Amino acid sequence: MEMFFYGFMQRAFQASFLISLIAPILGLFLILRRQSLMADTLSHVSLAGVALGMLIGVNPTVTNILVVVAIAILLEYLRLIYRSYSEISIAILMSGGMAVALVLMGLNGGGATLTVDQFLFGSIVTISQEQVWMLLTLTIIIGILYSIFRKPMYILTFDEDTAFTAGLPIKLMSILFNVLTGVTIAVIMPIVGALLVSAILILPAAISMRLSKSFTGVILIGIVIAVFGMITGLISSYQYGTPPGATITLIFIGVFVVTLVFEKFKVKKKSI
């Protein structure tokens, strides 16, 4: 197919494959820690980083990463303050981040509308080789950290009190996880779009949880599902000229529906 001969599509497929390797890992921990909306919050707040970069004439990805890292740390601080009402911190940061982004875009005089749209909805055409290298570096870092801290994170995810009793630095681990999630969102946002980046992270893990009961099994199946959804979505996006993030998300939702139907059919067949 001719799409494979275009440089931007080659970079898009490379980026999609790398995203598929890290999305199920982060997504599973986000789901188990009941922080699925945190990814959505960070993606919305990251628009303030993009708008800031446009305003001061700096690479938006750089300012995006800096802003998201700061917000990720603040998010953990607010979570500790409102321990019994963690959704308050999400509401505060999401609304505040969007407000700052809109104000900064207004100060910019509307001159960066096209670029902001690319960050909002994603664009496979604008993927640079630099972004692919950043994703590769991020994938290696997440892979190494997962292999080293898998058991401590597992304990922290399911029982913070036990983790604290065991002497684990739970506050530092939570902050580092938030920061890592934020940096991942900042890097992949130009590719899949801010509005749907949380769906790209969460859905593969959510689907694979219906298919496997083991921790490792969920991640491995999630990677397979992520690769299928990302590649299929990219091809469809190219063929029909649709936004890549939205197309990939619809593919994932389709897989999720098929999984639910298969489960119901399986249960019905056993009962007969």
Side-chain angles (χ1 to χ4, degrees), residues 13 16-17 19-21 24 204 207 220-236 247-256 258-259:
F13 282 116
S16 297
F17 178 74
I19 292 171
S20 300
L21 296 179
I207 296 169
L220 292 177
I221 294 174
I223 290 174
V224 173
I225 292 171
V227 170
F228 171 78
M230 294 291 290
I231 300 301
T232 305
L234 270 184
I235 294 174
S236 301
T247 309
I248 292 168
T249 301
L250 288 176
I251 296 292
F252 282 143
I253 291 175
V255 174
F256 182 70
V258 170
T259 302

Side-chain angles (χ1 to χ4, degrees), residues 50 85 144 152 200 207 264:
V50 174
Y85 308 97
I144 293 173
I200 304 298
I207 296 169
K264 285 190 175 294

Side-chain angles (χ1 to χ4, degrees), residues 126-185:
T126 58
I127 300 174
S128 64
Q129 194 60 48
E130 180 186 14
Q131 287 175 314
V132 175
W133 284 115
M134 288 175 66
L135 264 175
L136 177 60
T137 304
L138 191 61
T139 302
I140 293 172
I141 292 173
I142 290 176
I144 293 173
L145 291 176
Y146 173 73
S147 62
I148 296 174
F149 297 106
R150 180 170 62 92
K151 288 185 178 179
M153 276 299 297
Y154 186 86
I155 297 172
L156 177 65
T157 298
F158 286 100
D159 194 341
E160 282 196 15
D161 293 331
T162 301
F164 179 77
T165 305
L168 295 175
I170 58 174
K171 188 174 181 179
L172 179 62
M173 288 173 64
S174 294
I175 290 175
L176 290 177
F177 176 75
N178 289 358
V179 168
L180 195 61
T181 303
V183 171
T184 303
I185 288 171

Side-chain angles (χ1 to χ4, degrees), residues 32-54:
L32 294 178
R33 298 187 73 196
R34 302 183 185 278
Q35 290 183 321
S36 299
L37 286 178
M38 187 186 80
D40 207 34
T41 301
L42 291 175
S43 65
H44 282 70
V45 171
S46 64
L47 289 173
V50 174
L52 178 62
M54 300 293 175

